[in-house]
Amino acid sequence: MTALHGDSRLDLLLADAEERRPVLDEGLPAEAAQRGPRPREKDSFERKRTDADPNDLAVQRWAVVAPRGREGDQLLKAIAPLIRLREEEQGAPVTVYRVPPDVDARQAAAWREAECWRDDIPEDEWPYYLLLVGDLHQISLEFQQAIAGSALVGRVHFEGASGEVDLDNYAAYAQKVVRFAREETPEPSPDMLFFVAPDGSTATHAGATKLVGPSLTAIQEGRGKGSLPVASVRAIDAETTDELLAAGASGRPSVLLSVSHGLGPPRRGFRSEEEQRRRQGALLLGRGEVLDSERMRGQRFLPGGLWFCMACFGAGTPSASAYHAWLSQLAKEGAYGGKAELVLQSLPEPGRRPFVAAMPQAALTSPEGPLGVIGHMDLAWTYSFSSASNPAEGRKSRILSALRVMARGSRAGVALGTLLQSYGEANDALMASYQLEASARAEGRLDPTDRVDRAHLWMLRNDLRGYVLLGDPAVRLPRRPGGSDAPT
Protein backbone atom coordinates (compact mmCIF):
# COMPACT_ATOMS: atom_id res chain seq x y z
CA MET A 1 0.00 0.00 0.00
CA THR A 2 1.25 3.43 -0.91
CA ALA A 3 2.28 5.55 2.08
CA LEU A 4 0.26 8.65 2.83
CA HIS A 5 1.96 11.91 2.03
CA GLY A 6 2.97 13.68 5.22
CA ASP A 7 1.29 17.00 4.47
CA SER A 8 -1.93 15.52 3.05
CA ARG A 9 -5.15 16.40 4.84
CA LEU A 10 -8.82 16.87 4.14
CA ASP A 11 -9.49 20.61 4.17
CA LEU A 12 -13.11 21.75 4.36
CA LEU A 13 -14.60 25.12 3.34
CA LEU A 14 -17.18 25.26 6.16
CA ALA A 15 -17.56 27.86 8.94
CA ASP A 16 -19.63 28.07 12.13
CA ALA A 17 -22.40 30.64 11.60
CA GLU A 18 -22.17 32.01 15.14
CA GLU A 19 -18.44 31.89 15.86
CA ARG A 20 -17.64 32.81 12.23
CA ARG A 21 -14.56 30.66 12.09
CA PRO A 22 -13.70 27.44 10.20
CA VAL A 23 -15.20 24.24 11.62
CA LEU A 24 -12.11 22.22 10.67
CA ASP A 25 -9.36 24.78 11.02
CA GLU A 26 -6.66 22.15 10.53
CA GLY A 27 -8.65 19.64 8.49
CA LEU A 28 -8.93 15.88 8.94
CA PRO A 29 -6.07 13.44 8.35
CA ALA A 30 -6.13 12.03 4.83
CA GLU A 31 -6.40 8.42 6.01
CA ALA A 32 -9.93 9.18 7.24
CA ALA A 33 -11.13 9.02 3.63
CA GLN A 34 -10.22 5.33 3.40
CA ARG A 35 -13.44 4.63 5.32
CA GLY A 36 -15.65 6.11 2.59
CA PRO A 37 -18.47 3.81 1.37
CA ARG A 38 -18.62 2.50 -2.16
CA PRO A 39 -20.84 4.55 -4.52
CA ARG A 40 -24.16 2.85 -5.12
CA GLU A 41 -24.00 2.85 -8.89
CA LYS A 42 -22.08 3.96 -11.92
CA ASP A 43 -23.29 7.17 -13.50
CA SER A 44 -23.78 7.70 -17.21
CA PHE A 45 -21.46 10.05 -19.05
CA GLU A 46 -22.84 10.16 -22.55
CA ARG A 47 -21.78 13.21 -24.54
CA LYS A 48 -24.18 14.58 -27.09
CA ARG A 49 -23.41 15.82 -30.61
CA THR A 50 -19.78 16.54 -29.85
CA ASP A 51 -19.09 17.02 -33.56
CA ALA A 52 -21.11 20.26 -33.50
CA ASP A 53 -20.67 23.58 -31.71
CA PRO A 54 -21.93 23.00 -28.15
CA ASN A 55 -23.03 26.66 -27.98
CA ASP A 56 -25.32 26.47 -31.02
CA LEU A 57 -28.87 26.11 -29.70
CA ALA A 58 -30.22 25.49 -33.18
CA VAL A 59 -28.27 22.24 -33.14
CA GLN A 60 -28.16 21.36 -29.44
CA ARG A 61 -31.65 22.54 -28.40
CA TRP A 62 -32.87 23.98 -25.09
CA ALA A 63 -35.78 22.74 -22.95
CA VAL A 64 -37.41 23.39 -19.57
CA VAL A 65 -38.19 20.97 -16.74
CA ALA A 66 -40.87 22.14 -14.29
CA PRO A 67 -42.74 20.56 -11.38
CA ARG A 68 -46.13 19.06 -12.05
CA GLY A 69 -49.21 20.93 -10.94
CA ARG A 70 -50.37 24.51 -10.53
CA GLU A 71 -47.10 25.77 -9.02
CA GLY A 72 -45.17 24.51 -12.04
CA ASP A 73 -47.64 26.33 -14.31
CA GLN A 74 -46.96 29.58 -12.45
CA LEU A 75 -43.19 29.16 -12.72
CA LEU A 76 -43.39 28.59 -16.47
CA LYS A 77 -45.54 31.68 -16.89
CA ALA A 78 -43.05 33.78 -14.89
CA ILE A 79 -40.10 32.83 -17.13
CA ALA A 80 -42.06 33.14 -20.40
CA PRO A 81 -39.75 35.91 -21.75
CA LEU A 82 -36.75 33.60 -21.36
CA ILE A 83 -38.57 30.75 -23.10
CA ARG A 84 -39.39 33.04 -26.04
CA LEU A 85 -35.74 34.12 -26.28
CA ARG A 86 -34.53 30.53 -26.51
CA GLU A 87 -37.19 29.71 -29.11
CA GLU A 88 -35.86 32.54 -31.25
CA GLU A 89 -32.29 31.35 -30.83
CA GLN A 90 -32.97 27.73 -31.71
CA GLY A 91 -35.60 28.45 -34.34
CA ALA A 92 -38.00 25.91 -32.87
CA PRO A 93 -40.53 25.64 -30.04
CA VAL A 94 -39.15 24.92 -26.58
CA THR A 95 -40.13 21.55 -25.16
CA VAL A 96 -41.51 21.66 -21.61
CA TYR A 97 -41.22 18.58 -19.42
CA ARG A 98 -43.08 18.07 -16.14
CA VAL A 99 -41.70 15.84 -13.38
CA PRO A 100 -42.90 14.71 -9.94
CA PRO A 101 -40.93 15.42 -6.74
CA ASP A 102 -38.45 12.99 -5.18
CA VAL A 103 -37.19 11.45 -8.42
CA ASP A 104 -34.04 9.47 -7.59
CA ALA A 105 -31.04 8.79 -9.82
CA ARG A 106 -32.36 5.53 -11.29
CA GLN A 107 -35.75 7.05 -12.04
CA ALA A 108 -34.05 10.07 -13.61
CA ALA A 109 -32.10 7.83 -15.98
CA ALA A 110 -35.31 6.07 -16.97
CA TRP A 111 -37.07 9.43 -17.45
CA ARG A 112 -34.30 10.66 -19.72
CA GLU A 113 -34.69 7.65 -22.01
CA ALA A 114 -38.50 7.58 -21.92
CA GLU A 115 -39.23 11.30 -22.15
CA CYS A 116 -36.22 13.43 -23.00
CA TRP A 117 -34.29 11.31 -25.49
CA ARG A 118 -37.08 9.21 -26.96
CA ASP A 119 -36.30 6.87 -29.80
CA ASP A 120 -39.33 7.99 -31.78
CA ILE A 121 -38.13 11.61 -31.83
CA PRO A 122 -35.40 12.68 -34.28
CA GLU A 123 -32.05 12.96 -32.53
CA ASP A 124 -31.57 16.54 -33.72
CA GLU A 125 -34.60 17.49 -31.61
CA TRP A 126 -33.27 16.04 -28.37
CA PRO A 127 -32.42 18.86 -25.95
CA TYR A 128 -28.85 19.14 -24.70
CA TYR A 129 -29.61 22.17 -22.50
CA LEU A 130 -32.11 21.68 -19.67
CA LEU A 131 -33.29 24.45 -17.35
CA LEU A 132 -34.85 23.18 -14.13
CA VAL A 133 -37.29 25.58 -12.42
CA GLY A 134 -38.11 25.00 -8.76
CA ASP A 135 -36.51 24.21 -5.43
CA LEU A 136 -34.89 20.92 -4.44
CA HIS A 137 -38.08 19.51 -2.90
CA GLN A 138 -39.90 20.12 -6.20
CA ILE A 139 -37.22 18.76 -8.56
CA SER A 140 -34.72 16.69 -6.63
CA LEU A 141 -30.97 17.19 -6.60
CA GLU A 142 -30.62 13.49 -7.47
CA PHE A 143 -32.56 14.18 -10.67
CA GLN A 144 -30.35 17.16 -11.49
CA GLN A 145 -27.09 15.29 -10.89
CA ALA A 146 -28.19 12.22 -12.86
CA ILE A 147 -29.26 14.27 -15.87
CA ALA A 148 -26.10 16.40 -15.71
CA GLY A 149 -24.10 13.31 -16.65
CA SER A 150 -25.50 13.51 -20.18
CA ALA A 151 -26.83 17.05 -20.64
CA LEU A 152 -26.00 20.65 -19.72
CA VAL A 153 -28.19 21.47 -16.74
CA GLY A 154 -28.95 24.58 -14.70
CA ARG A 155 -31.55 25.42 -12.08
CA VAL A 156 -33.36 28.57 -10.97
CA HIS A 157 -35.36 29.00 -7.80
CA PHE A 158 -36.35 32.17 -5.98
CA GLU A 159 -38.28 32.57 -2.75
CA GLY A 160 -39.43 35.31 -0.39
CA ALA A 161 -38.41 36.02 3.19
CA SER A 162 -40.72 33.40 4.69
CA GLY A 163 -39.87 30.68 2.19
CA GLU A 164 -42.73 31.13 -0.25
CA VAL A 165 -42.09 31.04 -4.00
CA ASP A 166 -41.40 34.54 -5.36
CA LEU A 167 -42.75 34.67 -8.91
CA ASP A 168 -41.65 38.28 -9.31
CA ASN A 169 -38.02 37.22 -8.82
CA TYR A 170 -38.41 34.44 -11.39
CA ALA A 171 -39.68 37.07 -13.82
CA ALA A 172 -36.86 39.48 -12.87
CA TYR A 173 -34.22 36.87 -13.62
CA ALA A 174 -35.81 35.96 -16.96
CA GLN A 175 -35.98 39.61 -17.97
CA LYS A 176 -32.35 40.17 -16.98
CA VAL A 177 -31.16 37.26 -19.11
CA VAL A 178 -33.15 38.56 -22.08
CA ARG A 179 -31.79 42.08 -21.61
CA PHE A 180 -28.16 41.01 -21.53
CA ALA A 181 -28.68 38.64 -24.46
CA ARG A 182 -30.12 41.39 -26.67
CA GLU A 183 -27.78 44.23 -25.67
CA GLU A 184 -24.23 44.50 -26.87
CA THR A 185 -21.57 45.34 -24.33
CA PRO A 186 -19.30 48.29 -25.16
CA GLU A 187 -16.41 46.30 -23.70
CA PRO A 188 -14.71 43.92 -26.13
CA SER A 189 -13.24 41.52 -23.56
CA PRO A 190 -14.09 40.39 -20.02
CA ASP A 191 -12.13 40.74 -16.79
CA MET A 192 -10.91 37.67 -14.91
CA LEU A 193 -11.24 38.14 -11.16
CA PHE A 194 -9.97 35.97 -8.32
CA PHE A 195 -10.78 36.23 -4.62
CA VAL A 196 -9.62 34.19 -1.63
CA ALA A 197 -11.11 35.04 1.75
CA PRO A 198 -8.29 36.27 4.03
CA ASP A 199 -9.31 34.15 7.06
CA GLY A 200 -5.95 32.44 7.65
CA SER A 201 -7.36 28.90 7.50
CA THR A 202 -5.60 25.91 5.95
CA ALA A 203 -8.44 25.45 3.45
CA THR A 204 -8.28 28.97 2.01
CA HIS A 205 -4.47 28.82 2.10
CA ALA A 206 -4.70 25.71 -0.06
CA GLY A 207 -7.06 27.57 -2.39
CA ALA A 208 -4.60 30.45 -2.69
CA THR A 209 -1.47 28.36 -3.25
CA LYS A 210 -2.79 25.42 -5.27
CA LEU A 211 -5.55 27.05 -7.31
CA VAL A 212 -5.75 30.84 -7.41
CA GLY A 213 -2.04 31.70 -7.57
CA PRO A 214 -1.22 29.20 -10.35
CA SER A 215 -4.43 30.13 -12.22
CA LEU A 216 -3.54 33.83 -12.14
CA THR A 217 -0.15 33.03 -13.62
CA ALA A 218 -1.62 30.80 -16.33
CA ILE A 219 -4.29 33.36 -17.31
CA GLN A 220 -1.73 36.16 -17.47
CA GLU A 221 0.51 34.03 -19.68
CA GLY A 222 -2.42 33.18 -21.96
CA ARG A 223 -3.39 36.82 -22.19
CA GLY A 224 0.20 37.79 -23.04
CA LYS A 225 0.31 35.21 -25.84
CA GLY A 226 -3.06 36.29 -27.20
CA SER A 227 -4.62 32.86 -26.64
CA LEU A 228 -7.12 34.11 -24.06
CA PRO A 229 -9.06 37.30 -24.91
CA VAL A 230 -9.41 38.94 -21.50
CA ALA A 231 -9.04 42.64 -20.77
CA SER A 232 -7.45 42.23 -17.35
CA VAL A 233 -6.54 39.60 -14.78
CA ARG A 234 -6.46 40.54 -11.14
CA ALA A 235 -6.73 39.23 -7.61
CA ILE A 236 -9.24 41.03 -5.39
CA ASP A 237 -7.77 42.16 -2.09
CA ALA A 238 -10.82 42.57 0.14
CA GLU A 239 -11.27 42.10 3.87
CA THR A 240 -14.81 43.47 4.09
CA THR A 241 -18.06 42.86 2.29
CA ASP A 242 -18.10 46.43 1.02
CA GLU A 243 -14.64 46.03 -0.50
CA LEU A 244 -15.58 42.80 -2.27
CA LEU A 245 -18.82 44.23 -3.66
CA ALA A 246 -17.02 47.35 -4.87
CA ALA A 247 -14.36 45.26 -6.60
CA GLY A 248 -17.04 43.39 -8.55
CA ALA A 249 -19.08 46.44 -9.55
CA SER A 250 -17.24 47.21 -12.79
CA GLY A 251 -19.26 47.73 -15.94
CA ARG A 252 -17.03 45.33 -17.83
CA PRO A 253 -18.36 41.74 -18.04
CA SER A 254 -16.41 39.60 -15.58
CA VAL A 255 -15.74 36.00 -14.61
CA LEU A 256 -15.05 35.58 -10.89
CA LEU A 257 -13.59 32.67 -8.93
CA SER A 258 -14.05 33.02 -5.18
CA VAL A 259 -12.72 30.67 -2.49
CA SER A 260 -14.13 31.02 1.00
CA HIS A 261 -15.85 29.14 3.79
CA GLY A 262 -19.62 28.78 3.55
CA LEU A 263 -21.64 29.19 6.73
CA GLY A 264 -22.96 26.07 8.42
CA PRO A 265 -25.01 26.01 11.61
CA PRO A 266 -23.78 27.21 15.00
CA ARG A 267 -23.05 24.46 17.52
CA ARG A 268 -26.49 24.85 19.06
CA GLY A 269 -28.09 24.68 15.62
CA PHE A 270 -30.17 27.18 13.74
CA ARG A 271 -33.21 28.47 15.62
CA SER A 272 -35.57 27.67 12.74
CA GLU A 273 -35.72 26.28 9.23
CA GLU A 274 -36.26 29.80 7.97
CA GLU A 275 -32.99 30.95 9.56
CA GLN A 276 -31.15 27.99 8.06
CA ARG A 277 -32.49 28.70 4.55
CA ARG A 278 -31.55 32.35 4.92
CA ARG A 279 -28.02 31.91 6.30
CA GLN A 280 -26.57 28.52 5.36
CA GLY A 281 -24.07 28.82 2.54
CA ALA A 282 -23.44 32.56 3.05
CA LEU A 283 -19.77 33.43 2.52
CA LEU A 284 -17.36 34.10 5.39
CA LEU A 285 -14.89 36.68 4.10
CA GLY A 286 -12.64 37.05 7.15
CA ARG A 287 -12.69 39.12 10.36
CA GLY A 288 -16.24 37.95 10.90
CA GLU A 289 -17.49 39.60 7.70
CA VAL A 290 -20.27 37.67 5.99
CA LEU A 291 -21.73 38.10 2.50
CA ASP A 292 -25.31 36.87 2.84
CA SER A 293 -28.54 37.35 0.93
CA GLU A 294 -29.50 40.52 2.81
CA ARG A 295 -26.21 42.18 1.92
CA MET A 296 -26.24 40.94 -1.67
CA ARG A 297 -29.85 41.84 -2.48
CA GLY A 298 -30.09 44.56 -5.13
CA GLN A 299 -26.32 45.07 -5.32
CA ARG A 300 -24.43 45.85 -8.49
CA PHE A 301 -22.03 42.92 -8.54
CA LEU A 302 -20.69 41.12 -11.64
CA PRO A 303 -23.36 42.67 -13.93
CA GLY A 304 -23.94 40.24 -16.78
CA GLY A 305 -21.05 38.14 -15.49
CA LEU A 306 -20.46 34.58 -14.33
CA TRP A 307 -19.38 33.44 -10.87
CA PHE A 308 -17.61 30.26 -9.76
CA CYS A 309 -18.28 30.29 -6.00
CA MET A 310 -16.31 27.71 -4.02
CA ALA A 311 -17.74 27.24 -0.49
CA CYS A 312 -19.63 24.64 1.52
CA PHE A 313 -23.37 24.78 0.75
CA GLY A 314 -22.66 27.84 -1.45
CA ALA A 315 -25.32 26.71 -3.97
CA GLY A 316 -27.64 24.92 -1.58
CA THR A 317 -28.21 22.21 1.00
CA PRO A 318 -29.26 18.69 -0.11
CA SER A 319 -31.61 16.33 1.71
CA ALA A 320 -28.74 13.86 2.16
CA SER A 321 -25.00 14.42 2.00
CA ALA A 322 -22.59 12.19 0.09
CA TYR A 323 -20.48 12.22 3.26
CA HIS A 324 -23.17 11.36 5.83
CA ALA A 325 -22.47 7.62 6.22
CA TRP A 326 -18.72 8.21 6.29
CA LEU A 327 -18.83 10.99 8.88
CA SER A 328 -21.41 9.10 10.96
CA GLN A 329 -19.06 6.13 11.22
CA LEU A 330 -16.12 8.35 12.19
CA ALA A 331 -18.24 10.13 14.79
CA LYS A 332 -19.54 6.85 16.21
CA GLU A 333 -15.98 5.70 16.73
CA GLY A 334 -14.94 9.02 18.24
CA ALA A 335 -12.25 9.32 15.60
CA TYR A 336 -9.97 12.34 15.24
CA GLY A 337 -10.90 14.13 18.45
CA GLY A 338 -14.56 14.61 17.67
CA LYS A 339 -13.92 16.64 14.51
CA ALA A 340 -16.18 14.38 12.49
CA GLU A 341 -18.97 15.07 14.98
CA LEU A 342 -18.61 18.82 14.38
CA VAL A 343 -18.88 18.42 10.61
CA LEU A 344 -21.81 16.01 10.94
CA GLN A 345 -23.80 18.70 12.75
CA SER A 346 -23.78 20.81 9.60
CA LEU A 347 -25.60 18.21 7.51
CA PRO A 348 -29.37 18.36 6.94
CA GLU A 349 -31.52 17.22 9.85
CA PRO A 350 -34.03 14.41 9.13
CA GLY A 351 -37.36 15.79 8.03
CA ARG A 352 -36.07 19.19 6.90
CA ARG A 353 -36.42 19.89 3.22
CA PRO A 354 -33.46 20.63 0.93
CA PHE A 355 -33.11 24.13 -0.48
CA VAL A 356 -31.24 26.41 -2.87
CA ALA A 357 -28.98 28.84 -0.98
CA ALA A 358 -30.35 32.34 -0.42
CA MET A 359 -27.20 34.32 -1.26
CA PRO A 360 -26.88 33.24 -4.93
CA GLN A 361 -30.65 33.69 -5.31
CA ALA A 362 -30.19 37.35 -4.33
CA ALA A 363 -27.26 37.73 -6.73
CA LEU A 364 -29.18 36.26 -9.66
CA THR A 365 -32.29 38.38 -9.13
CA SER A 366 -30.35 41.63 -8.93
CA PRO A 367 -30.80 43.55 -12.22
CA GLU A 368 -27.06 44.28 -12.18
CA GLY A 369 -25.96 40.90 -10.90
CA PRO A 370 -24.46 37.78 -12.51
CA LEU A 371 -26.29 35.60 -15.01
CA GLY A 372 -25.09 32.31 -13.54
CA VAL A 373 -23.39 30.92 -10.44
CA ILE A 374 -21.53 27.61 -10.25
CA GLY A 375 -21.50 26.51 -6.61
CA HIS A 376 -21.50 23.51 -4.31
CA MET A 377 -24.55 21.68 -2.93
CA ASP A 378 -22.80 19.74 -0.19
CA LEU A 379 -19.64 19.94 1.88
CA ALA A 380 -16.97 21.50 -0.37
CA TRP A 381 -13.44 20.21 0.16
CA THR A 382 -10.18 21.21 -1.53
CA TYR A 383 -10.08 18.00 -3.57
CA SER A 384 -11.58 19.64 -6.66
CA PHE A 385 -8.24 21.37 -7.26
CA SER A 386 -5.93 18.72 -5.81
CA SER A 387 -4.15 15.78 -7.40
CA ALA A 388 -6.01 12.48 -6.95
CA SER A 389 -2.76 10.60 -6.36
CA ASN A 390 -1.29 13.20 -3.99
CA PRO A 391 -3.71 15.76 -2.53
CA ALA A 392 -0.79 17.87 -1.34
CA GLU A 393 -0.18 18.77 -4.99
CA GLY A 394 -2.38 21.20 -6.88
CA ARG A 395 -4.46 20.40 -9.95
CA LYS A 396 -5.73 23.79 -11.05
CA SER A 397 -6.74 22.65 -14.53
CA ARG A 398 -10.15 21.28 -13.51
CA ILE A 399 -11.40 24.64 -12.29
CA LEU A 400 -9.30 26.77 -14.63
CA SER A 401 -10.68 24.99 -17.70
CA ALA A 402 -14.22 25.98 -16.71
CA LEU A 403 -13.15 29.59 -16.15
CA ARG A 404 -11.45 29.75 -19.55
CA VAL A 405 -14.56 28.36 -21.25
CA MET A 406 -16.68 31.13 -19.72
CA ALA A 407 -14.15 33.86 -20.52
CA ARG A 408 -14.01 32.80 -24.18
CA GLY A 409 -17.76 33.37 -24.51
CA SER A 410 -19.15 29.86 -24.20
CA ARG A 411 -22.36 29.21 -22.33
CA ALA A 412 -22.30 28.51 -18.58
CA GLY A 413 -23.59 24.96 -19.06
CA VAL A 414 -20.60 24.17 -21.25
CA ALA A 415 -18.30 25.38 -18.47
CA LEU A 416 -19.96 23.14 -15.88
CA GLY A 417 -19.84 20.25 -18.35
CA THR A 418 -16.09 20.76 -18.63
CA LEU A 419 -15.77 20.40 -14.85
CA LEU A 420 -18.04 17.36 -14.74
CA GLN A 421 -15.87 15.57 -17.28
CA SER A 422 -13.26 15.40 -14.50
CA TYR A 423 -15.94 13.95 -12.23
CA GLY A 424 -16.64 11.28 -14.85
CA GLU A 425 -12.96 10.37 -15.04
CA ALA A 426 -12.67 10.10 -11.24
CA ASN A 427 -15.87 8.06 -11.04
CA ASP A 428 -14.68 5.63 -13.72
CA ALA A 429 -11.31 5.19 -11.99
CA LEU A 430 -13.02 4.58 -8.64
CA MET A 431 -15.42 1.99 -10.05
CA ALA A 432 -12.52 0.29 -11.86
CA SER A 433 -10.75 -0.08 -8.49
CA TYR A 434 -13.80 -1.80 -6.98
CA GLN A 435 -14.10 -4.04 -10.05
CA LEU A 436 -10.43 -5.02 -9.81
CA GLU A 437 -10.94 -5.96 -6.16
CA ALA A 438 -14.04 -8.04 -6.99
CA SER A 439 -12.25 -9.88 -9.80
CA ALA A 440 -9.30 -10.74 -7.54
CA ARG A 441 -11.66 -12.04 -4.85
CA ALA A 442 -13.57 -14.20 -7.37
CA GLU A 443 -10.32 -15.67 -8.69
CA GLY A 444 -8.80 -16.26 -5.26
CA ARG A 445 -6.02 -13.73 -5.75
CA LEU A 446 -4.67 -11.12 -3.36
CA ASP A 447 -6.38 -7.73 -3.62
CA PRO A 448 -4.08 -5.63 -5.86
CA THR A 449 -5.84 -2.31 -5.25
CA ASP A 450 -4.29 0.62 -3.43
CA ARG A 451 -6.70 1.73 -0.69
CA VAL A 452 -5.03 5.11 -0.27
CA ASP A 453 -5.48 5.91 -3.96
CA ARG A 454 -9.07 4.72 -3.71
CA ALA A 455 -9.70 7.00 -0.74
CA HIS A 456 -8.38 9.99 -2.69
CA LEU A 457 -10.54 9.07 -5.70
CA TRP A 458 -13.59 8.76 -3.44
CA MET A 459 -13.07 12.25 -2.05
CA LEU A 460 -12.35 13.73 -5.50
CA ARG A 461 -15.40 12.09 -7.04
CA ASN A 462 -17.79 13.33 -4.37
CA ASP A 463 -16.29 16.81 -4.21
CA LEU A 464 -16.65 17.34 -7.97
CA ARG A 465 -20.13 15.81 -8.04
CA GLY A 466 -21.41 18.48 -5.65
CA TYR A 467 -20.95 21.36 -8.12
CA VAL A 468 -24.08 22.59 -9.88
CA LEU A 469 -25.10 25.58 -11.96
CA LEU A 470 -27.66 28.05 -10.63
CA GLY A 471 -29.09 29.93 -13.58
CA ASP A 472 -29.97 29.14 -17.16
CA PRO A 473 -27.32 26.80 -18.63
CA ALA A 474 -27.49 28.76 -21.91
CA VAL A 475 -26.38 32.10 -20.44
CA ARG A 476 -23.03 33.53 -21.52
CA LEU A 477 -21.15 36.79 -21.18
CA PRO A 478 -22.83 39.68 -23.06
CA ARG A 479 -22.32 39.96 -26.80
CA ARG A 480 -19.40 41.90 -28.15
CA PRO A 481 -19.65 44.82 -30.60
CA GLY A 482 -20.77 43.89 -34.10
CA GLY A 483 -23.38 41.42 -32.94
CA SER A 484 -21.08 38.43 -32.69
CA ASP A 485 -21.95 36.15 -29.84
CA ALA A 486 -19.79 33.21 -30.84
CA PRO A 487 -16.98 32.12 -28.52
CA THR A 488 -13.53 33.28 -29.49
Side-chain angles (χ1 to χ4, degrees):
M1 181 180 292
T2 304
L4 283 169
H5 300 276
D7 55 352
S8 296
R9 60 175 166 260
L10 310 180
D11 288 319
L12 180 66
L13 291 164
L14 179 71
D16 184 291
E18 187 172 66
E19 298 180 1
R20 298 192 178 185
R21 61 185 305 273
V23 173
L24 291 184
D25 198 18
E26 298 179 357
L28 285 174
E31 60 263 24
Q34 295 183 52
R35 318 275 277 282
R38 176 176 178 169
R40 288 177 296 177
E41 59 186 54
K42 186 180 186 299
D43 290 327
S44 169
F45 299 104
E46 301 170 74
R47 307 304 299 174
K48 183 156 181 291
R49 288 195 284 280
T50 54
D51 59 332
D53 179 4
N55 296 287
D56 186 352
L57 294 190
V59 176
Q60 305 292 0
R61 296 299 179 92
W62 185 94
V64 181
V65 182
R68 291 178 179 171
R70 179 174 175 272
E71 198 166 59
D73 295 340
Q74 294 175 324
L75 300 180
L76 291 169
K77 183 177 179 181
I79 66 164
L82 176 56
I83 293 175
R84 289 194 294 269
L85 170 69
R86 299 309 180 207
E87 287 180 333
E88 291 174 17
E89 289 185 328
Q90 67 185 21
V94 163
T95 302
V96 177
Y97 301 100
R98 309 298 289 269
V99 297
D102 302 323
V103 175
D104 63 23
R106 291 183 182 276
Q107 292 169 330
W111 173 88
R112 179 191 61 204
E113 300 301 322
E115 299 292 335
C116 194
W117 291 3
R118 288 166 45 185
D119 222 28
D120 60 341
I121 295 178
E123 185 177 343
D124 59 5
E125 296 180 13
W126 292 354
Y128 193 29
Y129 288 80
L130 291 173
L131 172 63
L132 279 54
V133 291
D135 207 352
L136 300 181
H137 70 288
Q138 297 169 308
I139 301 177
S140 70
L141 177 59
E142 290 76 13
F143 178 92
Q144 181 172 357
Q145 290 176 326
I147 299 302
S150 50
L152 304 180
V153 182
R155 177 193 294 265
V156 291
H157 171 67
F158 305 105
E159 60 185 40
S162 59
E164 76 284 359
V165 173
D166 192 323
L167 296 175
D168 289 340
N169 279 339
Y170 274 92
Y173 176 74
Q175 291 161 5
K176 179 174 75 170
V177 173
V178 172
R179 174 167 60 89
F180 278 106
R182 297 196 187 285
E183 293 179 358
E184 291 184 358
T185 174
E187 305 292 347
S189 301
D191 289 334
M192 290 288 292
L193 307 177
F194 296 85
F195 171 73
V196 180
D199 59 21
S201 70
T202 59
T204 53
H205 176 73
T209 57
K210 295 197 295 185
L211 174 61
V212 170
S215 294
L216 271 165
T217 300
I219 294 291
Q220 288 167 342
E221 291 175 352
R223 179 172 178 259
K225 295 176 181 177
S227 60
L228 189 62
V230 295
S232 69
V233 187
R234 60 189 173 94
I236 296 175
D237 182 14
E239 294 188 354
T240 69
T241 304
D242 288 343
E243 290 172 348
L244 178 60
L245 292 175
S250 167
R252 188 187 300 274
S254 301
V255 176
L256 168 65
L257 169 66
S258 67
V259 182
S260 66
H261 289 81
L263 290 192
R267 298 199 181 199
R268 291 171 292 181
F270 288 111
R271 290 169 293 183
S272 65
E273 286 189 60
E274 182 277 327
E275 183 187 31
Q276 184 184 28
R277 287 197 303 270
R278 179 170 49 85
R279 300 197 68 199
Q280 186 145 297
L283 307 186
L284 178 66
L285 305 186
R287 296 187 178 183
E289 290 271 329
V290 172
L291 178 58
D292 58 16
S293 58
E294 284 85 353
R295 190 68 184 84
M296 176 60 78
R297 188 166 292 114
Q299 291 291 328
R300 179 182 175 86
F301 184 70
L302 304 179
L306 298 170
W307 186 0
F308 196 122
C309 180
M310 189 175 291
C312 282
F313 305 119
T317 298
S319 57
S321 168
Y323 306 98
H324 189 276
W326 168 60
L327 289 168
S328 296
Q329 184 62 32
L330 294 181
K332 182 179 179 181
E333 297 172 1
Y336 311 118
K339 291 183 177 181
E341 181 89 27
L342 292 176
V343 181
L344 194 60
Q345 291 173 2
S346 70
L347 301 184
E349 295 182 15
R352 289 197 173 183
R353 70 172 176 85
F355 56 90
V356 172
M359 193 281 290
Q361 288 185 45
L364 291 173
T365 55
S366 171
E368 296 300 322
L371 299 173
V373 179
I374 294 177
H376 213 284
M377 277 202 178
D378 204 334
L379 297 173
W381 306 78
T382 57
Y383 263 82
S384 61
F385 53 86
S386 300
S387 168
S389 59
N390 178 10
E393 296 179 356
R395 185 68 183 273
K396 69 180 186 302
S397 58
R398 300 187 192 105
I399 309 298
L400 182 56
S401 294
L403 299 176
R404 282 174 167 154
V405 165
M406 291 187 282
R408 289 190 173 111
S410 282
R411 301 184 189 273
V414 178
L416 179 63
T418 301
L419 181 66
L420 292 183
Q421 287 178 8
S422 296
Y423 159 60
E425 293 165 2
N427 190 79
D428 285 345
L430 180 61
M431 300 310 294
S433 173
Y434 281 109
Q435 184 59 49
L436 189 61
E437 177 190 359
S439 297
R441 186 186 307 115
E443 297 168 8
R445 296 184 287 108
L446 292 176
D447 181 2
T449 59
D450 187 317
R451 296 307 171 89
V452 174
D453 285 348
R454 180 186 292 179
H456 294 326
L457 282 170
W458 185 83
M459 290 295 299
L460 174 60
R461 178 231 189 234
N462 289 329
D463 199 15
L464 290 171
R465 188 171 190 257
Y467 283 102
V468 300
L469 171 65
L470 299 181
D472 177 5
V475 296
R476 66 202 320 176
L477 294 178
R479 294 186 303 167
R480 297 170 186 179
S484 173
D485 62 356
T488 304

